[in-house]
Amino acid sequence: MTRIRNYFLTGLVVAAPIGLTIWITRWFIDLIDTWFTPILPESYQPDNYLPFDIPGLGLLIAFVLLTLLGALTANIFGRTVLHAGERLVARMPVVRSIYGALKQIFETVISQSNASFREVGLIEYPRKGLYCLVFITTQTKCEILERVEHDELVSVFLPTTPNPTSGFLLFVPKQDIQVLDMSIEEGAKMIISAGLVEPPRRNADAQAEPVPIANSRLPSA
């Protein structure tokens, strides 16, 4: 019975990630297909000519439409139309707040995608003697830096377990952050698994003496 139990758990560990990945991928593709496939005229729907469905058709349509939209807004005419639409949205009290916040979020994520979340850090939180993993984003350079006594602050994201997409934005002094050797993916796995999945130690000496963030790759303020 012990051997059967071990075999079952091993099979579960192997099959569960594969099955969930396939299910989530299929759910996402079906969702996009539901949104964008009806854009095609009824006479051009593949279902009228083929005895089976074509998964991913809506995803392909979405890719083409977004690419065309980006190409149109890249020229003078497209930018003029876009600015006119934004001025119209700016006159709507509730809509302008939602649109402005979403636009800023997407622009920040896309423009800083190559620089965001490149390091995993360790801070003492919520009190001395307790430690949390954080994802280091960038140095703080806004009004917040002028309101505190510290010369250099770093913006970090403190994710929650088991859902790392939610969490807290913290502004931490540089000297209070220790940069770890683990990658972002390894840190995310550790957070999602509640510490059950630990990354391998690449360099025992480096792990024993964490590098202060002042010597990390972050640019100086």
Side-chain angles (χ1 to χ4, degrees), residues 83-127:
H83 292 162
E86 289 182 342
R87 286 195 297 269
L88 179 62
V89 173
R91 299 178 181 177
M92 304 178 185
V94 179
V95 177
R96 65 186 179 189
S97 300
I98 300 175
Y99 174 77
L102 292 176
K103 181 181 178 182
Q104 186 174 8
I105 291 174
F106 276 93
E107 287 180 347
T108 302
V109 170
I110 294 176
S111 63
Q112 298 183 358
S113 60
N114 295 328
S116 298
F117 289 3
R118 285 192 173 182
E119 293 177 311
V120 180
L122 191 68
I123 65 171
E124 289 188 278
Y125 182 88
R127 63 170 177 83

Side-chain angles (χ1 to χ4, degrees), residues 5 14 24 36 56 69 74 77 81 110 113 116 128 133 136 143 145 155 170 172 176 179-180 188 201:
R5 173 180 172 274
V14 173
I24 294 175
F36 289 93
L69 179 61
F77 175 77
V81 174
I110 294 176
S113 60
S116 298
K128 293 288 185 180
L133 288 180
I136 300 171
E143 181 184 357
L145 187 61
S155 303
L170 303 178
V172 186
D176 294 339
V179 179
L180 302 181
R201 299 186 63 178

Side-chain angles (χ1 to χ4, degrees), residues 18-218:
I18 298 176
L20 288 175
T21 301
I22 295 175
W23 181 80
I24 294 175
T25 304
R26 183 56 189 266
W27 171 82
F28 177 76
I29 293 176
D30 290 342
L31 179 64
I32 302 300
D33 286 349
T34 303
W35 289 350
F36 289 93
T37 301
I39 295 178
L40 286 178
E42 185 66 24
S43 58
Y44 292 97
Q45 293 286 341
D47 295 340
N48 298 330
Y49 307 98
L50 300 176
F52 54 86
D53 296 333
I54 301 179
L57 179 61
L59 193 62
L60 178 61
I61 296 174
F63 174 78
V64 173
L65 291 179
L66 291 176
T67 303
L68 292 176
L69 179 61
L72 290 175
T73 54
N75 54 45
I76 298 178
F77 175 77
R79 286 195 297 267
T80 303
V81 174
L82 180 62
H83 292 162
E86 289 182 342
R87 286 195 297 269
L88 179 62
V89 173
R91 299 178 181 177
M92 304 178 185
V94 179
V95 177
R96 65 186 179 189
S97 300
I98 300 175
Y99 174 77
L102 292 176
K103 181 181 178 182
Q104 186 174 8
I105 291 174
F106 276 93
E107 287 180 347
T108 302
V109 170
I110 294 176
S111 63
Q112 298 183 358
S113 60
N114 295 328
S116 298
F117 289 3
R118 285 192 173 182
E119 293 177 311
V120 180
L122 191 68
I123 65 171
E124 289 188 278
Y125 182 88
R127 63 170 177 83
K128 293 288 185 180
L130 298 181
Y131 297 89
C132 289
L133 288 180
V134 295
F135 296 142
I136 300 171
T137 56
T138 183
Q139 282 192 306
T140 306
K141 300 179 182 179
C142 60
E143 181 184 357
I144 297 175
L145 187 61
E146 303 173 358
R147 300 283 181 170
V148 298
E149 299 177 353
H150 299 280
D151 295 332
E152 291 183 298
L153 290 178
V154 177
S155 303
V156 301
F157 176 69
L158 173 62
T160 57
T161 300
N163 180 18
T165 59
S166 64
F168 306 94
L169 172 63
L170 303 178
F171 304 99
V172 186
K174 263 191 174 184
Q175 62 270 18
D176 294 339
I177 304 178
Q178 301 180 62
V179 179
L180 302 181
D181 193 38
M182 69 176 65
S183 64
I184 297 298
E185 291 77 11
E186 292 171 340
K189 289 179 183 178
M190 190 173 184
I191 293 170
I192 294 173
S193 65
L196 296 177
V197 178
E198 296 185 358
R201 299 186 63 178
R202 299 184 181 87
N203 190 325
D205 295 336
Q207 292 290 343
E209 297 291 339
V211 181
I213 196 170
N215 298 327
S216 67
R217 297 189 297 270
L218 285 178

